[in-house]
Amino acid sequence: GRHRECLQIQDLIDKELILSGHDRSDGGLITTLLEMAFGGNCGIEINLEVSTQHSALSTQHSALSIQHSALPFLFSEELGLVIEYLPANEDTIISLLDEFSVPYHIIGKTLTEKRIKISLQTPDSELLTILDEDMRVLREIWEETSYQLDRLQANPECVDEEREINFDRKGSQYVLTFTPQNGSTSSPCILSLPKDERDVNPKVAIIREEGSNGDREMTSAFYHAGFEVWDITMADMIDGRVSLDNFRGIAFVGGFSYADVLDSAKGWAGVIRFNKSLYEQFQRFYERPDTFSLGVCNGCQLMALLGWVPWRGIPDNVQPRFIQNKSGRFESRFSTIHILPSPAIMLKGMEGSTLGLWVAHGEGRAYFPDDRIKEETIQQNLAPIRFVDDNGEFTEKYPLNPNGSPSGITALCSPDGRHLAMMPHPERAFLKWQWGYMPEDWRKNLEVSPWLRMFQNAREWCERNSE
């Protein structure tokens, strides 16, 4: 019977009839309902009915006795599931459950008001209030233990800031200023082309070092945009097995190069800067007018240490770079960022959009030893991606800004726009299913993820600037 019920719930999920769900195996029904409301940042109104069959109580019993009879029902950890659905789908869901003899009870509804209302209907139709409380207050109580532990593990200032911000958030407000589509530049199977036709696909080198771990996602993203993608290790370059002279683009991937023992990307940067022939090869690539580069996360840190962004010639002692997060710990979050007008070729047409994107770094805080360089970077529109709050404003507040970067800065680009370094991971959200959260209308109506546009832009730029 349980197997039959599980299969039926899976069928409802496949038919996209369920908005959310939670089992009651840990804490019972009351805990399940509260956790769903906490996670959904909303309220609920629940009306539980206690029949004489279940309560064995007459109408003469006191309210206290009636409420006591609800305790087993509220706290039982027997197998069970609470699902949320749209009212328009109720008849379809009920018919499917009835068809397979799956028992169910309709117990309430979701509220936009952030309040928890749980009532008990007695056999004589009297309605008794079990719980009526502000959801935000209950959630703060529920999170208290985690909050106290967090204060011992991270910067207490950041933890306190997160608690204050999360108490009454309205949620991220995404904005899309363009229509994502596969387009003519998307080549789903490059290697299936005849060999003499493959050369029309520009070559991009996905460069990794010992400890890199973002190369597969980056390869896939460029592959989907129609590039001929090469997996290149630094050892390949040092041993002379491959040269950047043959590539139009390079991508420095994320990860933990040399385990970040010397701080993020410093070991990787040292390999390049202290090998004369290798350094000259990278310099030739940078200066060629027909090339582009992308550095993400660890690769972003590398590009800053190489002096590729925001512009060449800045002395090492005042070169902008990325340092330890203000929180003092590794941050992995689905953050909200805003794309500003800039020269960046990979962000063309995406300006004005506010989107969700993964971050995963321990040292992502943009640091400008010289404030004058920071101001000039901003004035020249060379900081094209910023963390924003739920109102779309640049923020330094944790955790909306997970690392504490000034003015929400989380990317730098070169004045000609060919070289872009960014801390968030577009390659980990270029497919729709990779998003941690996507508005329902986007999920249903968008052909592809908005982040695919970055890689398509690179392909189109290569076509326009081919020799």
Side-chain angles (χ1 to χ4, degrees):
R2 297 302 183 193
H3 180 65
R4 177 193 65 223
E5 294 169 10
C6 290
L7 290 177
Q8 188 54 38
I9 293 299
Q10 289 298 321
D11 187 45
L12 293 177
I13 294 173
D14 289 341
K15 291 182 169 66
E16 298 188 343
L17 295 173
I18 294 179
L19 297 176
S20 64
H22 194 341
D23 71 279
R24 67 171 186 180
S25 62
D26 189 2
L29 176 63
I30 184 68
T31 303
T32 297
L33 292 169
L34 289 172
E35 289 182 347
M36 290 181 73
F38 297 160
N41 194 32
C42 64
I44 53 173
E45 184 175 304
I46 304 297
N47 186 0
L48 303 174
E49 182 177 350
V50 176
S51 66
T52 54
Q53 176 182 0
H54 292 108
S55 65
L57 296 171
S58 68
T59 56
Q60 283 75 36
H61 279 78
S62 66
L64 179 62
S65 298
I66 294 290
Q67 291 185 40
H68 178 73
S69 71
L71 291 178
F73 187 61
L74 289 172
F75 290 96
S76 170
E77 296 183 345
E78 293 294 331
L79 289 176
L81 179 73
V82 176
I83 63 173
E84 180 190 22
Y85 57 87
L86 292 174
N89 294 329
E90 184 171 291
D91 291 343
T92 301
I93 292 173
I94 288 176
S95 65
L96 290 171
L97 294 176
D98 285 339
E99 180 182 350
F100 288 87
S101 301
V102 177
Y104 61 87
H105 295 280
I106 298 174
I107 60 174
K109 60 185 179 181
T110 305
L111 303 175
T112 54
E113 178 190 7
K114 296 180 181 181
R115 194 159 195 88
I116 305 294
K117 302 176 182 179
I118 300 179
S119 302
L120 179 68
Q121 187 171 342
T122 66
D124 61 354
S125 298
E126 182 182 0
L127 202 61
L128 299 176
T129 299
I130 299 295
L131 183 63
D132 187 356
E133 183 61 84
D134 189 315
M135 181 276 292
R136 296 163 296 186
V137 173
L138 293 175
R139 183 170 59 190
E140 192 167 62
I141 296 171
W142 180 72
E143 292 179 339
E144 179 65 21
T145 301
S146 296
Y147 162 70
Q148 294 295 344
L149 288 172
D150 262 0
R151 294 190 93 254
L152 299 174
Q153 300 176 61
N155 183 342
E157 180 183 341
C158 291
V159 177
D160 292 344
E161 203 166 59
E162 180 175 22
R163 188 187 203 194
E164 180 182 353
I165 286 175
N166 284 348
F167 180 79
D168 192 22
R169 284 191 61 184
K170 65 179 181 181
S172 298
Q173 307 298 306
Y174 292 165
V175 176
L176 194 56
T177 59
F178 62 97
T179 302
Q181 52 189 359
N182 273 323
S184 60
T185 61
S186 181
S187 177
C189 193
I190 297 170
L191 295 183
S192 66
L193 296 172
K195 186 174 181 179
D196 59 351
E197 294 183 23
R198 291 183 201 166
D199 290 339
V200 302
N201 297 296
K203 295 180 180 180
V204 61
I206 310 302
I207 302 179
R208 57 189 172 94
E209 182 55 285
E210 178 185 327
S212 298
N213 61 25
D215 49 297
R216 298 298 183 181
E217 299 100 318
M218 191 70 77
T219 296
S220 296
F222 276 104
Y223 181 80
H224 272 70
F227 281 89
E228 181 177 323
V229 188
W230 287 60
D231 173 27
I232 305 296
T233 67
M234 291 300 300
D236 292 328
M237 299 186 66
I238 292 171
D239 293 341
R241 288 190 292 267
V242 66
S243 170
L244 295 181
D245 296 339
N246 299 318
F247 292 91
R248 296 293 306 279
I250 60 176
F252 301 107
V253 300
F256 306 92
S257 56
Y258 291 103
D260 288 347
V261 170
L262 301 174
D263 290 337
S264 295
K266 284 188 177 179
W268 194 352
V271 170
I272 297 173
R273 294 187 64 167
F274 301 121
N275 183 312
K276 183 179 180 181
S277 62
L278 195 59
Y279 182 72
E280 290 175 349
Q281 185 178 161
F282 275 100
Q283 288 303 103
R284 288 197 307 273
F285 180 91
Y286 183 91
E287 293 167 0
R288 276 171 46 200
D290 65 335
T291 63
F292 74 91
S293 67
L294 171 67
V296 170
C297 197
N298 204 223
C300 171
Q301 296 155 346
L302 172 65
M303 288 180 69
L305 293 172
L306 293 178
W308 282 26
V309 290
W311 58 81
R312 297 288 291 161
I314 300 175
D316 285 346
N317 63 322
V318 292
Q319 166 66 38
R321 51 191 180 272
F322 295 86
I323 63 174
Q324 187 181 49
N325 298 341
K326 183 179 178 182
S327 66
R329 64 181 172 187
F330 184 88
E331 298 287 343
S332 179
R333 298 177 181 271
F334 195 68
S335 298
T336 303
I337 59 89
H338 182 76
I339 301 172
L340 294 169
S342 75
I345 63 171
M346 294 189 73
L347 300 176
K348 181 179 174 58
M350 302 175 70
E351 301 89 346
S353 294
T354 301
L355 307 170
L357 194 55
W358 293 106
V359 297
H361 56 253
E363 299 182 6
R365 177 159 48 116
Y367 173 57
F368 294 82
D370 188 332
D371 283 340
R372 292 173 298 179
I373 292 178
K374 182 184 74 171
E375 294 306 316
E376 188 174 350
T377 298
I378 293 173
Q379 290 172 7
Q380 292 189 31
N381 300 319
L382 303 184
I385 303 177
R386 311 283 189 91
F387 291 116
V388 293
D389 59 22
D390 294 342
N391 295 316
E393 303 293 333
F394 304 151
T395 184
E396 297 178 10
K397 296 287 187 179
Y398 181 86
L400 307 176
N401 179 329
N403 52 50
S405 292
S407 302
I409 294 172
T410 190
L412 298 172
C413 72
S414 60
D416 61 6
R418 294 188 297 114
H419 306 284
L420 175 65
M422 57 188 294
M423 288 307 301
H425 289 266
E427 80 284 4
R428 294 182 184 175
F430 82 95
L431 299 171
K432 286 167 60 178
W433 62 263
Q434 293 175 307
W435 283 54
Y437 161 74
M438 178 177 282
E440 188 68 15
D441 59 330
W442 291 18
R443 189 179 67 84
K444 289 183 177 180
N445 300 321
L446 292 186
E447 183 180 359
V448 294
S449 165
W451 288 110
L452 181 60
R453 177 66 176 267
M454 272 189 61
F455 304 93
Q456 292 171 328
N457 280 340
R459 169 68 189 271
E460 291 171 3
W461 182 86
C462 287
E463 291 179 343
R464 290 194 305 269
N465 293 274
S466 60
E467 297 181 351

